[in-house]
Amino acid sequence: MTQQLPASKTDSTKQHTEHLLKSYLKTLRMPTMHRESSTVARQIGQQHGSYELYLQQLAELEVAQRKAGAIARRLKLARFPVTKEISDFDFAAVPKLNKKRLIDLAQCDFVPLRSNIIFNGPPGTGKTHLAVALGREACRRGYQVRFFTASGLANLYREAREERQVLKLEKQIQKQDLIIVDELGYIPLDRHGAEHLFGFFSQCYEQVSLILTTNLPFADWPQIFADDQRMTGALLDRLTHHVHIIGIEGQSFRLKTSQQEKKGGPPAQEQDQ
Ligand code: ADP
Ligand code: MG
């Protein structure tokens, strides 16, 4: 017959085991398992669950927490200027935009293929919204993403050149899976800026996926790149080798919504139809 330990002895053995377990989990750097070990033990005990179930549930919590932490870190590092999602986008307001195509692109298969996306359209039609939304999806799927405006990127190169840090910057660029360059064409670049961006696009070719937004048709792109037809031609050649071009037509969403608000009328998309 097995001898029963006195209650106080059982309690102190249990406490000692718990204490040891927590210290091992700390050494193994399992913060969630460390935090949740007692709570999950209580739950599993109440359900008369197995030791395996206890360990599985505890490990599952650790894995889920790590995944969430990694996504939050990638979203932060991407430096998106706004938080926009595909689910917030009102496709009915832009009937000519192919919703299915956008939903397909949100699967992010274009990223490992090193393909590019170009959103082209007038101001206020949702180009930045969609670029950010796709970028956030890519972060959730484990890709490293970085958002720049075209002028911000040109400035970054200028500063790097002045500080002789261009190689370092190029290494950082190379580490990304997806780079968003917003507002190409809003501000014409000077000669240096144009050359830097040309260098950037050459470096990204078949190495890093790009999402660009622009208000200018390709024919006007030399305006962006210091009126250099040859350089712009070479750049477009690379950029459009593997590309999804998405033209967005229509009136500014901002303008439409503010007009609707003033009139107190029905939502913009209903009036469009
Ligand atoms: P663009 O980059 O084309 O100038 P934005 O993406 O900045 O335009 O859009 C302007 C504002 O209008 C943003 O707040 C954006 O979220 C919103 N917006 C634009 N189009 C839509 C849409 N179809 N559905 C929902 N919000 C939209
Ligand atoms: Mg924009």
Side-chain angles (χ1 to χ4, degrees), residues 69-82:
I71 290 173
R73 257 194 312 282
R74 281 193 295 272
L75 285 169
K76 191 158 178 248
L77 287 172
R79 304 211 202 160
F80 296 115
V82 285

Side-chain angles (χ1 to χ4, degrees), residues 1-266:
M1 200 178 120
T2 46
Q3 225 182 342
Q4 287 280 315
L5 287 169
S8 60
K9 188 108 190 192
T10 327
D11 281 352
S12 77
T13 314
K14 198 172 159 235
Q15 268 176 15
H16 181 62
T17 308
E18 257 187 58
H19 180 76
L20 271 181
L21 174 62
K22 282 204 183 278
S23 102
Y24 292 149
L25 290 172
K26 206 168 177 180
T27 309
L28 290 169
R29 293 180 208 283
M30 304 285 185
T32 308
M33 289 178 86
H34 177 270
R35 197 181 57 241
E36 301 294 335
S37 61
S38 312
T39 316
V40 178
R42 218 175 309 120
Q43 287 164 353
I44 298 296
Q46 281 161 4
Q47 299 163 17
H48 305 290
S50 63
Y51 301 125
E52 287 84 354
L53 185 64
Y54 171 62
L55 192 56
Q56 176 257 312
Q57 294 215 341
L58 209 50
E60 196 167 282
L61 288 176
E62 182 74 42
V63 170
Q65 190 58 45
R66 283 189 192 196
K67 271 193 188 157
I71 290 173
R73 257 194 312 282
R74 281 193 295 272
L75 285 169
K76 191 158 178 248
L77 287 172
R79 304 211 202 160
F80 296 115
V82 285
T83 306
K84 300 284 175 182
E85 304 292 353
I86 293 278
S87 53
D88 310 327
F89 195 80
D90 179 3
F91 283 92
V94 208
K96 284 194 184 157
L97 190 66
N98 185 336
K99 179 176 177 181
K100 186 182 173 301
R101 192 170 178 208
L102 255 304
I103 304 289
D104 279 351
L105 286 173
Q107 303 298 308
C108 296
D109 296 336
F110 70 99
V111 180
L113 293 172
R114 306 288 177 241
S115 299
N116 302 324
I117 301 177
I118 301 179
F119 288 107
N120 195 319
T125 50
K127 301 184 297 297
T128 303
H129 184 135
L130 290 171
V132 167
L134 292 181
R136 292 177 64 83
E137 275 304 323
C139 287
R140 291 191 193 103
R141 283 159 204 263
Y143 296 115
Q144 247 172 253
V145 181
R146 185 75 168 82
F147 180 101
F148 297 104
T149 59
S151 56
L153 187 60
N155 275 341
L156 205 63
Y157 269 91
R158 186 175 47 76
E159 282 165 21
R161 191 192 60 214
E162 283 164 9
E163 291 160 18
R164 300 181 171 275
Q165 298 283 336
V166 175
L167 270 180
K168 193 172 156 201
L169 175 61
E170 285 180 347
K171 267 195 193 145
Q172 285 168 2
I173 298 275
Q174 208 74 56
K175 271 198 225 149
Q176 306 299 322
D177 297 301
L178 169 65
I179 297 180
I180 300 172
V181 183
D182 197 26
E183 300 189 346
L184 198 64
Y186 279 75
I187 304 166
L189 302 162
D190 63 10
R191 183 85 220 160
H192 276 311
E195 280 169 9
H196 284 320
L197 279 208
F198 178 75
F200 164 79
F201 286 124
S202 307
Q203 202 200 351
C204 291
Y205 176 62
E206 294 192 334
Q207 302 289 324
V208 181
S209 239
L210 294 170
I211 298 181
L212 305 186
T213 80
T214 180
N215 55 332
L216 292 182
F218 291 139
D220 293 341
W221 276 36
Q223 283 174 33
I224 312 172
F225 294 95
D227 277 323
D228 189 326
Q229 296 276 357
R230 211 171 45 89
M231 185 162 76
T232 313
L235 187 149
L236 277 173
D237 189 49
R238 280 164 219 206
L239 207 59
T240 57
H241 186 190
H242 313 284
V243 75
H244 303 269
I245 298 170
I246 302 189
I248 314 182
E249 291 171 24
Q251 210 193 341
S252 160
F253 192 85
R254 278 183 284 244
L255 195 68
K256 252 196 300 194
T257 353
S258 69
Q259 282 172 347
Q260 287 307 322
E261 274 164 15
K262 275 186 204 139
K263 281 190 210 158

